[in-house]
Amino acid sequence: MYNESILHLNECLRIDPNFSLAIETKLACYIFLNDVSKFENFIAVKPQLNYPEICKALFSLINKKQLKRPIDIATIDIDESFKYIYPWHFYLLIHYGNTEKALDVFEDKMKLKVGQLVNFQLDPFLDSLRENKRFQLITKQIISSESFSEHKEVINKIEREISKPFNDSEIKEYKLILENFIKKSKPFLNPNLSLKELGESIDLHPNKLSWLLNTEFNKNFNDFINYFRLNHFKTIALDPKNSHLTILGLAFDSGFNSKSVFNTYFKRAEGITPRVWMKQNL
């Protein structure tokens, strides 16, 4: 089941490498598959993940492995966890053995119709609670209540929460901040620039930055950055003082880190190869 899910998630990530729900769901699959290697490698290459250290602790607890370091549950901010797609801190409470605290949180959040728990009956992270009498009582009350029967309203709520993390004023503010930072600092010239690094530069979480790029600029992170790299390439390629440089040299000076990426993106954006473009414009 989990391996099949990963195949579908891979397709989602092929279309949008920064799709937060797919990223975190794939990590959850690796947890339940007890695949240490793929779990650790995935964390290493996905800086967009929320709370990777909490996820590592969960992996150990769920798969009966020794924790690398003790956890101070008292310092865990449960409410902070529920701001994101997967409430990792809440799951940690369950699997660390703080059942009553976990049930307190579960009951409270369900009364508030918190979106992340809308599919709690299918959530494998909650499996260890299902034989608990109090959990059964809470779920019975929830399912039979009029408020929970408004299932569509809850789903719409989580979709709104995930799809629009800013209000209109914040969208304008962060777009301006991002555009000014790009113009002034030219971070695209860094061939190893990551979504996380760009987000940190403007004090914005990678998930929110990814949403901003996809929704407001209609580009994923790679296309957004390569757009500026391409424009920079055109500028320096037409400068006579750079006539001694090769096309590839100009591409590297513009922030591209490989010939294939540069050629593929250039042809997709311009409809012709870099060499043909150079002949037409010089």
Side-chain angles (χ1 to χ4, degrees):
M1 176 178 68
Y2 294 115
N3 282 318
E4 183 179 353
S5 297
I6 288 172
L7 293 177
H8 295 294
L9 293 166
N10 286 340
E11 180 61 19
C12 292
L13 293 172
R14 184 189 65 79
I15 297 170
D16 181 0
N18 298 306
F19 184 23
S20 300
L21 180 59
I23 290 172
E24 300 209 0
T25 302
K26 186 174 179 179
L27 186 70
C29 288
Y30 286 141
I31 290 176
F32 288 106
L33 284 170
N34 192 14
D35 194 324
V36 179
S37 177
K38 290 183 179 178
F39 173 81
E40 292 181 345
N41 289 338
F42 192 64
I43 285 182
V45 300
K46 290 295 179 183
Q48 307 96 313
L49 283 163
N50 294 306
Y51 308 112
E53 294 304 315
I54 296 294
C55 294
K56 290 177 184 178
L58 260 174
F59 184 96
S60 297
L61 291 168
I62 289 174
N63 294 299
K64 313 300 181 186
K65 301 180 185 297
Q66 185 175 358
L67 289 172
K68 293 184 178 179
R69 59 180 64 87
I71 301 169
D72 184 359
I73 290 294
T75 65
I76 297 296
D77 187 347
I78 301 298
D79 287 335
E80 178 68 17
S81 176
F82 275 92
K83 292 180 181 179
Y84 301 99
I85 297 168
Y86 272 70
W88 296 113
H89 296 61
F90 169 59
Y91 295 151
L92 183 65
L93 270 184
I94 296 171
H95 294 279
Y96 200 63
N98 285 46
T99 305
E100 288 306 310
K101 175 63 175 175
L103 289 171
D104 287 342
V105 172
F106 178 71
E107 186 170 18
D108 177 58
K109 298 301 181 184
M110 290 305 295
K111 286 178 180 178
L112 295 174
K113 296 192 288 187
V114 172
Q116 289 94 324
L117 294 179
V118 67
N119 289 318
F120 73 93
Q121 294 183 82
L122 302 175
D123 190 337
F125 285 105
L126 273 60
D127 284 351
S128 62
L129 294 179
R130 302 198 189 281
E131 298 302 316
N132 182 283
K133 297 299 182 184
R134 184 182 169 198
F135 178 81
Q136 293 173 355
L137 179 61
I138 294 171
T139 56
K140 183 178 180 181
Q141 292 171 341
I142 290 168
I143 293 171
S144 63
S145 70
E146 182 178 351
S147 61
F148 192 76
S149 66
E150 299 169 0
H151 192 70
K152 186 175 181 179
E153 178 186 340
V154 180
I155 293 176
N156 288 339
K157 180 180 177 182
I158 186 173
E159 287 178 344
R160 289 194 299 270
E161 289 173 351
I162 293 174
S163 64
K164 191 173 182 180
F166 307 106
N167 58 40
D168 291 342
S169 176
E170 289 172 328
I171 289 174
K172 291 180 181 179
E173 178 185 357
Y174 276 112
K175 282 182 69 176
L176 183 60
I177 291 172
L178 177 60
E179 288 167 347
N180 287 340
F181 178 73
I182 293 287
K183 182 178 180 180
K184 181 179 179 180
S185 301
K186 294 182 171 56
F188 53 85
L189 295 180
N190 173 8
N192 299 312
L193 182 69
S194 67
L195 178 72
K196 181 179 181 181
E197 185 177 352
L198 181 59
E200 289 174 347
S201 298
I202 60 172
D203 195 25
L204 192 60
H205 190 281
N207 289 350
K208 292 184 177 181
L209 175 57
S210 177
W211 180 92
L212 188 71
L213 297 178
N214 280 277
T215 305
E216 296 299 317
F217 294 92
N218 198 31
K219 290 179 172 65
N220 63 35
F221 171 73
N222 290 328
D223 283 347
F224 179 79
I225 294 302
N226 285 337
Y227 168 81
F228 291 100
R229 287 170 175 160
L230 180 58
N231 285 339
H232 186 79
F233 168 85
K234 291 179 180 178
T235 299
I236 63 175
L238 298 178
D239 190 335
K241 70 180 182 181
N242 294 321
S243 59
H244 64 289
L245 297 176
T246 65
I247 292 177
L248 187 57
L250 292 166
F252 286 155
D253 285 348
S254 302
F256 289 98
N257 59 13
S258 81
K259 180 179 179 180
S260 61
V261 169
F262 169 66
N263 286 334
T264 299
Y265 183 79
F266 193 104
K267 190 168 184 180
R268 176 154 60 91
E270 298 297 320
I272 55 177
T273 66
R275 190 169 300 281
V276 171
W277 183 89
M278 292 284 283
K279 288 181 179 179
Q280 291 179 352
N281 288 275
L282 289 178

